[in-house]
Amino acid sequence: MNIQRAQEIVDSPNMANVTYEGLKIYIQDIDEITEMARIFPLDDPEKELTVPLHNLSEE
């Protein structure tokens, strides 16, 4: 996923269909400098991860 689209998703009030390694996730924040995203799986909100933006997919 590119930085611009990830930021649009973060800023949107609507929930987007985004996955990371097959898991449906929520993007909490992005770091444009490192191109990383702070995410958590929808079914496990306590499990925060920081992952490369290019590993995220929108369905």
Side-chain angles (χ1 to χ4, degrees):
M1 177 173 295
N2 68 44
I3 293 171
Q4 181 179 350
R5 180 59 186 141
Q7 190 62 57
E8 288 171 358
I9 291 170
V10 169
D11 293 340
S12 173
N14 300 320
M15 186 71 148
N17 238 354
V18 180
T19 61
Y20 170 70
E21 295 184 349
L23 295 172
K24 292 186 178 189
I25 59 100
Y26 179 81
I27 304 173
Q28 291 181 293
D29 194 25
I30 61 166
D31 184 328
E32 293 184 18
I33 295 169
T34 62
E35 296 188 16
M36 300 289 279
R38 194 171 74 238
I39 65 166
F40 63 79
L42 293 180
D43 63 353
D44 191 2
E46 298 297 317
K47 187 179 178 185
E48 281 190 15
L49 303 167
T50 301
V51 300
L53 281 172
H54 69 265
N55 287 0
L56 303 180
S57 299
E58 185 174 14
E59 300 189 7

